[in-house]
Amino acid sequence: MLAENDEAGLRAVANDFHPASVAEFTEGLTVGQIWRVLDYAPLERQALILPYFPPGKQVKLIEGMGREHMTRLIEQMAPDDRADLLARLDPALVESLLPLVAQAERHDIRQLLSYPPDSAGAIMTTEYATLPAEITVSEAMCRLRAQAPDSETIYSIWILDAQRQLLGTVSLRQLVLAKPDILVGQLMQRDVATVRVDESRQQVARTLARYDVLAVPVVDSDGRLVGIVTHDDVMDVVVQEATNEVQRLGAVQPLVENYLEASFVRVWWKRAGWLSCLFVAELLTFSMLAHFEDAMASVLALSLFVPLCISTGGNSGAQAATLVTRAMALGQVENRDTWRVLRHELGMGITLGLTLGVIGFVRAALTPQQVLGNANRWDIALVISQAVAAICLWGTLVGSALPLIFRRLGFDPAFASSPFVATFVDVTGIYIYFHIAQIYVL
Amino acid sequence: MLAENDEAGLRAVANDFHPASVAEFTEGLTVGQIWRVLDYAPLERQALILPYFPPGKQVKLIEGMGREHMTRLIEQMAPDDRADLLARLDPALVESLLPLVAQAERHDIRQLLSYPPDSAGAIMTTEYATLPAEITVSEAMCRLRAQAPDSETIYSIWILDAQRQLLGTVSLRQLVLAKPDILVGQLMQRDVATVRVDESRQQVARTLARYDVLAVPVVDSDGRLVGIVTHDDVMDVVVQEATNEVQRLGAVQPLVENYLEASFVRVWWKRAGWLSCLFVAELLTFSMLAHFEDAMASVLALSLFVPLCISTGGNSGAQAATLVTRAMALGQVENRDTWRVLRHELGMGITLGLTLGVIGFVRAALTPQQVLGNANRWDIALVISQAVAAICLWGTLVGSALPLIFRRLGFDPAFASSPFVATFVDVTGIYIYFHIAQIYVL
């Protein structure tokens, strides 16, 4: 359509489709081409379409237009989408734009940009519908029509007193179904779950999921309403948190960007950092083995089972760490459950260790004597089965304890990733293995 | 309050708090005690509170009451919560209850129970508001008040023709703000994203997130509306999918239940199955090492570096597998991106391998000669650095390729878990290591 200059077609695309579809269709075009399409739509619609582009593209689109247009568009955007975008722009550019933005928006922008990036304040919007308690339903409907808030923020209406303290909430559904002459205050639900502006965005997500509400009100330390977080922004938080957790568990520093579009050097840095730390830690396996070099020299067959024994610890540790980390993220395991978790994993580690120990015994007993050299078959089988069982138990306990310890120390429990646990158990597993070996064959 | 038989207090708890709070407060009580509280609330409210209990508790609560009460309560519940609950009850009990349930509900229950558990049909509700296109806004409001659908399903209203084909949608906000005499058909948005009833629940989640809507309409193969999936149910899906992915990546069969409350034997089974498979696969490291036993006998120092080299492959593989699996779950990597991902990981594997190779070279070169025995220090350093670099590249390629291959074969890519990749790379890494060693020191 762009090549044919099909004005009617472009106008239809820009105006009639869902904003998400417009962004999807034009995402592959150059910045100049996208603006040729979007210029067929009025400013308010441009402001609706813009947030559906990926964040990097939004920055390029904003930077690719004149300063005047940029300012008007930023004024039109929803407060939360706008704060998101401005947080990614060059701070010098933002500072040069702000004087051009209308007074009310300017204040709002500075306020939202001042919250820590992971707080409720950073993801809330300052656009919402409020009513006093002492008016009737029919008057409430008139006021709502006058406020006519954008988008879905109209469905939860917040009832405030003169000091902006939150008294309760009514839904648009209640107002529509209620008799016109009863008071809003009689209709409202008083037991409203709120979050404070400095609480974490995970807390917002948990509150919304727990109460199945459309929006969570955000209050300041005096209980005054300062914003709301809507369900669609919480969904983004939940997905982003899951991504962070999965990536930490896989020993990558969380990537905010799209995997295929992030810069090579940035991704390299986030991966090489962790891999190098793990590698340096894993060098200790060499030192530990060197310590037992004489034992291996006298019974060479012992060295054949080292990778088997330590990988058992790594696998059982990764499993336990994953289960505990996820249970913590879901709120199923609190700090007070520490001993319960460890008791549970103690029992689990013993039974899992017995299971693997039996398999290990059978395999070692079936080894041809020429491979075992000077070692006695049954001695080796006893060593392997006991070492596997002990290391499996050890890995399970370490894997379940580390996330709990990390949280108590104030770190993200997902740092106790599978590779981290595996490395720790590799080094200590070698020590366990050779100590058991010394009992039987050395 | 129960001990004091404080009737007013119990009545207040059961009736005035948010249903989620009632469930939270009473969760720790016995089934009999919970019913003593809930009996102070009318049936409709009991039906609202019940879905907020954990699934296992819901089953116990239902089984703990008389058949008559059970039937009335099931009729009152929202269709999707009801289908969820009935799917967990003993099928014989459900069959004995169904004849007692009213005709319309019975048909609806049978229909919802017939969809596969991971499909849009299984999570949708059959309760939603519909209107024809050719009525005015004021008539539409009258009809909506008459339908008075429960909860938030009133906010998206679906416009159907006489054959129940979906024509478009209007929001309650639009109706409230519109002039009373214009036609619903003029107001409605035609470009509605739908899902088919047999599509996956992940597809529903992606559609809702992409369009930031409150509910996704579900249609049958003829385009007729059969249900909707609301934002709160999608949130549950997103959390459950993230849990499945994390647990698969950690080599656990996904646990549906709460980690601390699931039965020991079930959890043991889900963990022991994977651990045993990995252990049996890891036995191949023993066979592979036995194959190179002569090499180790002649240069014992070689055996000291085996865990270091193979864990490098495991860590780099886990990292790549995690990144690719997550990018696939987020829809960032499609099947057509396979070659792009592999090219990306080839470059990444080479640079990561060089980084670790340099560290390995330095460490090996600093080893005291007595530990190295009869081996030349610089030969060993060359072997270690090259083996580490090669195995790191190999791990990265295997880790990124396996999830892509698994998806093409129709498996969940998250089965290419860190322990799975690590085990595969352990065995093959030993082969690479000794082949490089043969060039320099054997």
Side-chain angles (χ1 to χ4, degrees), chain A residues 228-310:
Chain A
I228 64 170
V229 183
T230 52
H231 69 102
D232 49 330
D233 295 318
V234 170
M235 183 74 78
D236 297 341
V237 169
V238 169
V239 171
Q240 186 64 50
E241 289 296 326
T243 300
N244 287 357
E245 185 186 336
V246 168
Q247 292 182 343
R248 287 228 171 89
L249 282 173
V252 199
Q253 282 275 75
L255 287 177
V256 180
E257 309 92 330
N258 183 309
Y259 160 72
L260 276 176
E261 280 160 23
S263 99
F264 189 87
V265 175
R266 268 180 71 83
V267 176
W268 175 82
W269 180 246
K270 291 191 168 198
R271 293 169 71 163
W274 264 109
L275 273 192
S276 304
C277 290
L278 291 171
F279 185 75
V280 169
E282 195 78 38
L283 283 171
L284 293 173
T285 59
F286 163 71
S287 312
M288 191 64 92
L289 279 177
H291 182 71
F292 293 106
E293 200 174 11
D294 294 341
M296 282 198 281
S298 68
V299 186
L300 187 63
L302 283 180
S303 67
L304 304 180
F305 290 98
V306 169
L308 176 68
C309 287
I310 64 180

Side-chain angles (χ1 to χ4, degrees), chain A residues 199-223:
Chain A
E199 281 187 277
S200 71
R201 52 186 205 167
Q202 289 99 306
Q203 188 54 40
V204 181
R206 268 190 220 134
T207 306
L208 186 126
R210 169 116 199 106
Y211 293 94
D212 281 350
V213 286
L214 279 171
V216 178
V218 181
V219 295
D220 66 12
S221 52
D222 299 324

Side-chain angles (χ1 to χ4, degrees), chain A residues 44-363:
Chain A
E44 308 86 76
R45 215 175 128 79
Q46 293 176 8
L48 276 181
I49 297 168
L50 194 63
Y52 285 99
F53 287 102
K57 195 87 181 184
Q58 284 183 46
V59 171
K60 286 196 194 120
L61 283 170
I62 280 283
E63 289 172 350
M65 62 166 111
R67 194 147 292 214
E68 176 62 21
H69 185 181
M70 210 187 293
T71 314
R72 296 290 86 76
L73 190 62
I74 285 171
E75 283 179 3
Q76 286 286 336
M77 286 176 77
D80 52 342
D81 294 333
R82 178 167 64 195
D84 247 25
L85 172 61
L86 292 180
R88 289 170 201 273
L89 286 179
D90 178 9
L93 177 64
V94 175
E95 281 308 315
S96 74
L97 282 178
L98 278 182
L100 309 174
V101 173
Q103 167 74 40
E105 269 80 19
R106 190 161 67 228
H107 177 76
D108 186 75
I109 289 170
R110 286 207 190 279
Q111 190 65 43
L112 283 184
L113 283 179
S114 72
Y115 296 112
D118 275 356
S119 67
I123 56 168
M124 73 186 185
T125 179
T126 47
E127 205 168 60
Y128 46 84
T130 63
L131 289 174
E134 59 280 357
I135 62 173
T136 63
V137 166
S138 69
E139 202 188 331
M141 293 298 282
C142 289
R143 290 212 196 178
L144 277 182
R145 289 199 186 93
Q147 293 186 20
D150 281 349
S151 73
E152 295 146 1
T153 54
I154 196 174
Y155 296 133
S156 302
I157 300 138
W158 312 99
I159 312 301
L160 306 181
D161 67 11
Q163 283 74 46
R164 298 191 62 76
Q165 300 272 348
L166 186 62
L167 299 177
T169 179
V170 291
S171 66
L172 186 61
R173 171 176 179 274
Q174 286 178 295
L175 292 180
V176 166
L177 300 181
K179 295 208 182 71
D181 55 346
I182 71 165
L183 291 181
V184 168
Q186 294 174 273
L187 213 56
M188 76 181 178
Q189 185 204 321
R190 285 171 189 280
D191 170 35
V192 185
T194 62
V195 293
R196 266 210 336 280
V197 70
D198 54 349
E199 281 187 277
S200 71
R201 52 186 205 167
Q202 289 99 306
Q203 188 54 40
V204 181
R206 268 190 220 134
T207 306
L208 186 126
R210 169 116 199 106
Y211 293 94
D212 281 350
V213 286
L214 279 171
V216 178
V218 181
V219 295
D220 66 12
S221 52
D222 299 324
R224 286 181 303 233
L225 186 67
V226 292
I228 64 170
V229 183
T230 52
H231 69 102
D232 49 330
D233 295 318
V234 170
M235 183 74 78
D236 297 341
V237 169
V238 169
V239 171
Q240 186 64 50
E241 289 296 326
T243 300
N244 287 357
E245 185 186 336
V246 168
Q247 292 182 343
R248 287 228 171 89
L249 282 173
V252 199
Q253 282 275 75
L255 287 177
V256 180
E257 309 92 330
N258 183 309
Y259 160 72
L260 276 176
E261 280 160 23
S263 99
F264 189 87
V265 175
R266 268 180 71 83
V267 176
W268 175 82
W269 180 246
K270 291 191 168 198
R271 293 169 71 163
W274 264 109
L275 273 192
S276 304
C277 290
L278 291 171
F279 185 75
V280 169
E282 195 78 38
L283 283 171
L284 293 173
T285 59
F286 163 71
S287 312
M288 191 64 92
L289 279 177
H291 182 71
F292 293 106
E293 200 174 11
D294 294 341
M296 282 198 281
S298 68
V299 186
L300 187 63
L302 283 180
S303 67
L304 304 180
F305 290 98
V306 169
L308 176 68
C309 287
I310 64 180
S311 69
T312 302
N315 290 341
S316 59
Q319 206 180 53
T322 304
L323 274 173
V324 172
T325 305
R326 191 61 198 159
M328 288 162 86
L330 291 174
Q332 294 171 353
V333 169
E334 303 294 341
N335 277 340
R336 62 169 186 275
D337 298 316
T338 302
W339 291 115
R340 215 175 135 200
V341 169
L342 292 182
R343 269 201 312 276
H344 183 270
E345 292 300 314
L346 179 68
M348 197 56 81
I350 291 171
T351 48
L352 290 173
L354 288 176
T355 315
L356 300 186
V358 169
I359 306 178
F361 185 88
V362 172
R363 177 67 184 84

